Amino acid sequence: MTRLSVNINKIATLRNARGGNNPDVIKVALDCEKYGAEGITVHPRPDERHIRRSDVYELKKVLHTEFNIEGYPSKDFCQLVSEVRPAQVTLVPDSPEQITSNAGWDTITHKEFLTDIVSLFKTQGIRTSIFVAADPAMVEAAKLTGCDRVELYTEPYASLYSENPQKAIIPFIEAAKVAHNSGLGLNAGHDLNLDNLKYFHSLIPWLDEVSIGHALVCDALYYGLKETIGKYLSQLK
């Protein structure tokens, strides 16, 4: 069973654009759960341009499903995660000025750094996932850090999907098999949507979780949040 974790960053972006509390990030997260989402993901950044630190603390108090916090493991980020104790932390190699994630970790070059961060969170009982490209070598090196899962960066798949889905999926199947054979859990995310998710899942059915935010929020403008979450869940059956 592949879980759907809804990334609510874009909800916070909309709220912050006008000030106040509309839309209410906490209420939307709870509604996502009510409509069937099995997790909530946030990606707080240092400038708080979408999710704020205060949102993270408030979400922890009320969520009933898995809470996933993703981000670059700076000192401030690690402190936040250590205080909140989510079910999962996903380590991404973003710089503060990036609009969105655009690459996975070089887990060979940064093995020592990542090993230290993974060790910190695992002693706190937090499942750790490392964001990587669909590269068997990066998956193998991630395993050496002691992490529990990897999350495959799926933007290259999404970009090529409409032109050649068979070609687009090949490196992801290869990386996913390496993860599976090494005992790592497997997540995926970035630009997955209602057009490409079903095919991806059908060929990598052992996925533990997909994290989807931007596309899901955009679809909700047309279908409504409840129907949209139902549509994404149906892609994972």
Side-chain angles (χ1 to χ4, degrees):
M1 181 70 180
T2 303
R3 290 174 170 264
L4 170 66
S5 185
V6 177
N7 186 319
I8 59 171
N9 275 21
K10 287 299 185 295
I11 301 299
T13 301
L14 184 59
R15 174 199 62 188
N16 296 352
R18 189 68 180 266
N21 193 39
N22 186 25
D24 184 330
V25 168
I26 306 302
K27 182 180 185 302
V28 170
L30 292 174
D31 285 341
C32 287
E33 290 187 325
K34 181 170 67 176
Y35 300 148
E38 295 110 339
I40 298 294
T41 293
V42 295
H43 187 149
R45 287 185 165 87
D47 61 6
E48 296 195 318
R49 63 181 180 266
H50 33 63
I51 288 294
R52 301 168 180 156
R53 289 178 69 93
S54 59
D55 295 327
V56 179
Y57 291 110
E58 291 304 310
L59 285 163
K60 173 62 176 180
K61 295 176 185 177
V62 299
L63 293 179
H64 304 290
T65 59
E66 287 198 351
F67 191 20
N68 172 45
I69 303 177
E70 61 182 30
Y72 180 82
S74 64
K75 181 178 179 180
D76 287 345
F77 177 85
C78 291
Q79 179 185 10
L80 176 64
V81 173
S82 295
E83 291 175 356
V84 173
R85 301 288 180 95
Q88 177 175 267
V89 59
T90 301
L91 309 179
V92 297
D94 286 358
S95 62
E97 65 273 10
Q98 280 183 231
I99 295 176
T100 187
S101 304
N102 62 6
W105 282 98
D106 180 339
T107 51
I108 297 173
T109 300
H110 300 287
K111 176 178 174 291
E112 184 175 350
F113 172 70
L114 290 169
T115 298
D116 290 343
I117 300 298
V118 168
S119 177
L120 168 67
F121 290 138
K122 291 192 74 172
T123 61
Q124 298 168 353
I126 304 170
R127 186 172 69 233
T128 58
S129 178
I130 296 178
F131 197 62
V132 296
D135 181 339
M138 294 300 114
V139 175
E140 290 171 352
K143 171 67 175 178
L144 298 178
T145 69
C147 67
D148 302 291
R149 294 185 183 181
V150 291
E151 178 173 338
L152 297 180
Y153 169 53
T154 49
E155 189 274 335
Y157 162 77
S159 296
L160 185 57
Y161 176 80
S162 60
E163 176 185 337
N164 191 332
Q166 293 84 6
K167 182 178 179 180
I169 195 68
I170 288 173
F172 291 87
I173 294 174
E174 293 174 353
K177 286 179 177 178
V178 171
H180 183 71
N181 292 338
S182 66
L184 285 171
L186 185 66
N187 299 340
H190 204 91
D191 287 353
L192 294 174
N193 57 40
L194 290 176
D195 293 326
N196 61 40
L197 178 58
K198 187 176 183 66
Y199 183 74
F200 189 91
H201 180 255
S202 69
L203 293 176
I204 312 176
W206 61 91
L207 275 169
D208 290 297
E209 174 188 295
V210 292
S211 176
I212 303 176
H214 182 79
L216 189 149
V217 172
C218 290
D219 289 330
L221 294 175
Y222 293 92
Y223 301 120
L225 186 61
K226 182 177 181 179
E227 184 175 349
T228 296
I229 289 176
K231 286 178 177 291
Y232 275 90
L233 290 171
S234 71
Q235 306 298 304
L236 299 173
K237 291 182 180 178

